[in-house]
Amino acid sequence: MKPFTPLHGLVAPLDRANVDTDAIIPKQFLKSIKRSGFGPNAFDEWRYLDRGEPGMDCTNRPINPDFVLNQARYQGASVLLTRENFGCGSSREHAPWALEDYGFRAIIASSFADIFFNNCFKNGVLPIVLAADVVDRLFQETLATEGYCLNVDLAAQTVTTPSGEVIAFEVDGERKHRLLNGLDDIALTLQFTDQIKAYEERRRVEAAWLFA
Amino acid sequence: MNPRTLYDKLWDAHVVHQEANGTALIYIDRHLVHEVTSPQAFEGLKLSGRKLWRAKTVLATPDHNVPTCNREAGIVDVVSRTQVETLDANCAEYGLNEFRMDDSRQGIVHVIGPEQGFTLPGATLVCGDSHTSTHGAFAALAFGIGTSEVEHVLATQCLWQKKSHTMLVKVDGYLPAGVTAKDIALAIIGKIGTAGGNGYAVEFGGSAIRALSMEGRMTLCNMAIEAGARAGMVAADEKTIAYVEGRPQAPKGAAWEQAVAYWRTLHSDAGAAFDALVELDAAAIRPQVTWGTSPEMVLSVQDKVPNPADAPNPVKKTDWERALVYMGLTAGTPINQISIDKAFIGSCTNSRIEDLREAAHVARWAIAHGRKVAANVKLAMVVPGSGLVKAQAEAEGLDKDFVAAGFEWRDPGCSMCLAMNADRLEPGERCASTSNRNFEGRQGQGGRTHLVSPAMAAAAAVFGHFVDIREVMK
């Protein structure tokens, strides 16, 4: 996993609540057995006017001019600003894969769905929870100012606006550590091999039916 | 010891290592694997040269991509076929128990786990699928995970978790005839919202939950994730134990006795504290129909499509407006005047034998009244949850009732719940569906989904529009 480095990123506003992972990456693209290449199909049904299928060359597809991410001013955005319960529904990790491949490194919302939130941290994407009124204000500022960028500093746990306002956010210490350092979860867990084996030995006796 | 919730008990029994900051390494007893969310996990294992920790904890089956008709011809879509073949190859390479597409036990992961006795009370169970919450019906701690965590469990048998908050959803009283576990689930989501359970492990309790069959409890726990809760659960009781007994992978002999003694302790202690409490009166729940593009956009069949002007806040107002446009509905339209193009009876929510019996009851009613699937309904399909459910239904003659009433009787799989195989809605088509998500495009791009119970879906197919099942079956 890529370490999360301080980010100065253009903000794209997706003003919808309850954006589900089916919308982030529709099911037909889940047939891929790869981990990469989902970016061109992120938000496929909102982004294009035709029906997307795996293997299509997306550069030739008709673009939906009404979809916010298609506006010229938001090209190259790396911070996604959105509303409550972002990432609800399916557990598909293809959703953060698609957002990361599209170019998003941080997502700001007033809340996230649990599984999606967890999946982001496994893929170098930082989900940031801010109060609904702060999110509201960031929407207003983003819409009012072309080229609106935010600084995201995970180490300091801050988002800084162009006017210099510093907004603090919470993040779990362990997740922060792993994301900042791009650590491999499995390698870390395997350091607990002795504890896992000891647990299994105990459970073989007290819950033998789980080890039949 | 202080009184503990069921969730506390399940959690405590599985802590391998506790960090000071509250994060714990949790042991996973059971792991269901399907073709969509596993290939990248196996690839990761191979790239890092890691071994599987404990292959016997895995049960695999292809379900999302499999065709529900003409299965002998194989999977026509090359990309789908490759994904299923990749699962077959990975399971063979790592020595995993897999029910392949041509196995009579193949089916939706969340149907075959309980059916095989693979899902056991008191166990931790995960799957790269959000509807893993289903298995909580057995007083198990079951939740969906992403592909990175699938790989993590394959390699370490563990997951890093923070303990969730606890919510008790208490449903007391008697459910009226024609009202099912699906209606309870939708009524709960309508009440607390699709994010209402975020951060919570939910326990469903109360006399109405105790009265549900195991199938009903699975339907209910399955939908916990649609309320935002990763895990839903129901305390173990005699029904739980009776369901598990004799299943192929259930414990036998002395191990069975030992297991049952423990399983009887799997309930929240009297006086155990929950972080949140939600109460519903079962008697007040009516047959539910979703009208929008989120499961929380739900009303009873007697209601009318709502007006965005009545939305509780500006964000919801915009959501409702967008949903009405997408769904092609006008505020004020009575739900029972909405006509449908297709009906889908199936999915990990509602494809078990009891669900099929309820739908078949409507099919028989139709035949007895000289009716069939309505002329305006292009397709009404019944997709059993597994090969064994299919065989059971056929042994009971349900397939003949369905076919005689104009329904199609298919092979098991996820099918049109998410339309990864050939079963899907075309743009603008409206479907009465027993599945779990009415998101935009879920059943096919531009498709319009209304979530209902099996009997309500069958009745909508027969009448061509939503009807109150209680009126029909009087």
Side-chain angles (χ1 to χ4, degrees):
Chain A
M1 182 172 77
K2 270 191 291 191
F4 191 92
T5 49
L7 173 69
H8 175 77
L10 182 68
V11 182
L14 181 62
D15 196 357
R16 295 179 75 136
N18 299 318
V19 172
D20 58 78
T21 53
D22 273 85
I24 297 171
I25 183 80
K27 82 278 292 178
Q28 61 268 38
F29 306 107
L30 272 52
K31 296 178 185 182
S32 168
I33 57 170
K34 299 198 176 77
R35 214 179 238 273
S36 56
F38 295 100
N41 300 111
F43 301 111
D44 198 274
E45 290 182 7
W46 293 344
R47 200 163 145 198
Y48 303 102
L49 295 170
D50 61 345
R51 173 141 82 189
E53 292 295 342
M56 273 177 141
D57 177 1
C58 292
T59 56
N60 296 323
R61 294 175 58 195
I63 292 287
N64 174 9
D66 295 331
F67 183 52
V68 63
L69 294 188
N70 286 333
Q71 293 179 27
R73 61 183 282 193
Y74 299 123
Q75 299 313 298
S78 56
V79 178
L80 182 65
L81 178 65
T82 184
R83 296 285 185 183
E84 69 198 50
N85 200 30
F86 186 80
C88 62
S90 158
S91 61
R92 58 189 69 167
E93 199 162 320
H94 311 67
W97 293 341
L99 294 169
E100 196 270 345
D101 196 48
Y102 181 94
F104 291 119
R105 301 297 314 284
I107 306 168
I108 298 174
S110 59
S111 66
F112 292 88
D114 291 348
I115 303 178
F116 174 83
F117 187 77
N118 195 41
N119 284 340
C120 283
F121 283 98
K122 313 286 182 195
N123 292 284
V125 175
L126 175 63
I128 301 172
V129 179
L130 296 179
D133 60 322
V134 177
V135 170
D136 251 344
R137 192 151 46 78
L138 292 178
F139 264 104
Q140 288 163 21
E141 292 178 11
T142 303
L143 293 171
T145 321
E146 197 159 338
Y148 186 86
C149 287
L150 289 171
N151 283 304
V152 178
D153 186 335
L154 174 57
Q157 296 182 215
T158 56
V159 172
T160 308
T161 69
S163 67
E165 183 195 2
V166 178
I167 305 162
F169 62 87
E170 294 293 323
V171 61
D172 174 74
E174 189 57 36
R175 282 177 161 150
K176 173 181 171 179
H177 172 69
R178 293 180 188 204
L179 193 50
L180 276 176
N181 297 288
L183 297 178
D184 175 356
D185 268 2
I186 296 177
L188 287 172
T189 305
L190 288 173
Q191 293 174 5
F192 291 87
T193 293
D194 291 347
Q195 285 95 322
I196 301 170
K197 287 187 169 163
Y199 174 87
E200 287 182 327
E201 282 315 305
R202 178 162 65 81
R203 293 288 280 176
R204 271 178 212 284
V205 177
E206 67 181 34
W209 62 90
L210 291 169
F211 291 82
Chain B
M1 192 180 271
N2 287 331
R4 293 186 297 165
T5 63
L6 170 59
Y7 175 69
D8 292 333
K9 293 179 184 181
L10 296 170
W11 175 273
D12 292 347
H14 289 89
V15 174
V16 171
H17 169 81
Q18 178 76 56
E19 294 274 333
N21 65 7
T23 307
L25 192 61
I26 294 295
Y27 191 81
I28 303 302
D29 297 311
R30 295 286 184 267
H31 188 181
L32 286 160
V33 168
H34 64 76
E35 79 277 21
V36 179
T37 55
S38 67
Q40 298 87 351
F42 285 111
E43 187 192 29
L45 280 183
K46 278 171 214 167
L47 289 174
S48 58
R50 288 185 178 122
K51 291 202 272 276
L52 240 72
W53 187 278
R54 199 174 145 218
K56 283 183 83 172
T57 61
V58 177
L59 176 61
T61 199
D63 55 6
H64 287 61
N65 280 279
V66 299
T68 59
C69 54
N70 268 332
R71 194 167 277 191
E72 308 73 44
I75 304 175
V76 177
D77 179 347
V78 180
V79 197
S80 285
R81 190 168 70 224
T82 302
Q83 197 164 53
V84 171
E85 288 171 352
T86 303
L87 177 69
D88 293 349
N90 283 325
C91 290
E93 182 178 346
Y94 287 96
L96 303 178
N97 187 14
E98 183 197 7
F99 297 164
R100 292 194 176 191
M101 196 170 83
D102 58 359
D103 191 306
S104 62
R105 301 165 296 176
Q106 177 269 343
I108 304 172
V109 280
H110 307 310
V111 175
I112 70 168
E115 192 170 78
Q116 292 297 320
F118 177 81
T119 304
L120 292 175
T124 44
L125 184 151
V126 296
C127 175
D129 193 287
S130 60
H131 291 109
T132 308
S133 57
T134 308
H135 309 266
F138 290 83
L141 178 56
F143 53 91
I145 55 178
T147 298
S148 294
E149 289 189 324
V150 169
E151 183 182 342
H152 194 279
V153 174
L154 290 173
T156 71
Q157 211 57 45
C158 291
L159 281 176
W160 291 101
Q161 292 283 300
K162 264 229 154 103
K163 210 170 166 186
S164 301
H165 297 295
T166 53
M167 179 188 288
L168 175 63
V169 176
K170 199 161 173 284
V171 190
D172 281 312
Y174 292 98
L175 271 188
V179 180
T180 67
K182 179 64 163 286
D183 302 298
I184 300 180
L186 288 169
I188 292 167
I189 297 162
K191 185 177 171 97
I192 71 174
T194 188
N198 279 4
Y200 289 97
V202 171
E203 180 176 342
F204 299 100
S207 61
I209 307 302
R210 302 252 60 82
L212 289 176
S213 65
M214 289 311 295
E215 281 88 350
R217 294 177 190 180
M218 284 188 255
T219 299
L220 186 61
C221 289
N222 172 277
M223 297 284 286
I225 185 64
E226 308 318 330
R230 275 181 96 170
M233 63 198 78
V234 175
D237 60 10
E238 295 311 310
K239 282 183 199 172
T240 320
I241 293 163
Y243 184 99
V244 175
E245 187 168 17
R247 304 233 165 226
Q249 298 192 33
K252 311 270 186 300
W256 170 258
E257 298 303 327
Q258 188 195 5
V260 167
Y262 173 61
W263 294 346
R264 291 197 208 279
T265 70
L266 295 174
H267 53 79
S268 291
D269 296 329
F274 289 84
D275 299 307
L277 172 68
V278 174
E279 291 181 284
L280 275 85
D281 174 12
I285 301 174
R286 292 172 291 174
Q288 304 283 299
V289 183
T290 64
W291 57 268
T293 54
S294 164
E296 71 180 23
M297 296 175 178
V298 64
L299 289 167
S300 96
V301 66
Q302 299 174 325
D303 291 323
K304 291 178 176 160
V305 174
N307 191 330
D310 300 328
N313 61 56
V315 172
K316 287 256 187 276
K317 178 170 179 281
T318 314
D319 274 5
W320 288 16
E321 285 166 350
R322 199 181 272 128
L324 290 186
V325 171
Y326 182 85
M327 294 297 290
L329 292 173
T330 312
T333 306
I335 299 277
N336 61 16
Q337 284 178 18
I338 299 172
S339 49
I340 62 163
D341 303 299
K342 288 182 176 170
F344 170 61
I345 296 165
S347 86
C348 58
T349 311
N350 277 134
S351 65
R352 298 178 184 83
I353 190 67
E354 180 180 288
D355 302 314
L356 303 190
R357 285 176 189 145
E358 285 170 7
H361 186 60
V362 176
R364 281 193 298 275
W365 178 94
I367 298 163
H369 289 77
R371 306 185 76 129
K372 293 184 86 165
V373 167
N376 62 302
V377 177
K378 292 178 240 178
L379 171 69
M381 62 193 301
V382 185
V383 184
S386 72
L388 297 184
V389 169
K390 186 178 188 207
Q392 170 78 28
E394 289 176 353
E396 295 179 16
L398 306 187
D399 58 320
K400 294 196 177 61
D401 298 331
F402 284 125
V403 171
F407 292 82
E408 289 194 14
W409 178 245
R410 298 290 188 96
D411 287 325
C414 301
S415 182
M416 207 160 72
C417 171
L418 87 167
M420 270 189 83
N421 70 350
D423 309 331
R424 68 179 180 200
L425 298 181
E426 296 303 320
E429 282 183 343
R430 190 180 298 286
C431 183
S433 179
T434 66
S435 55
N436 39 61
R437 291 188 174 133
N438 51 350
F439 299 155
E440 285 186 21
R442 172 77 179 183
Q443 295 193 291
Q445 188 165 4
R448 295 160 172 167
T449 303
H450 296 269
L451 304 176
V452 288
S453 71
M456 284 286 288
V462 168
F463 285 83
H465 57 85
F466 292 106
V467 291
D468 189 335
I469 190 68
R470 299 169 303 174
E471 299 294 319
V472 177
M473 307 303 287
K474 251 180 195 166

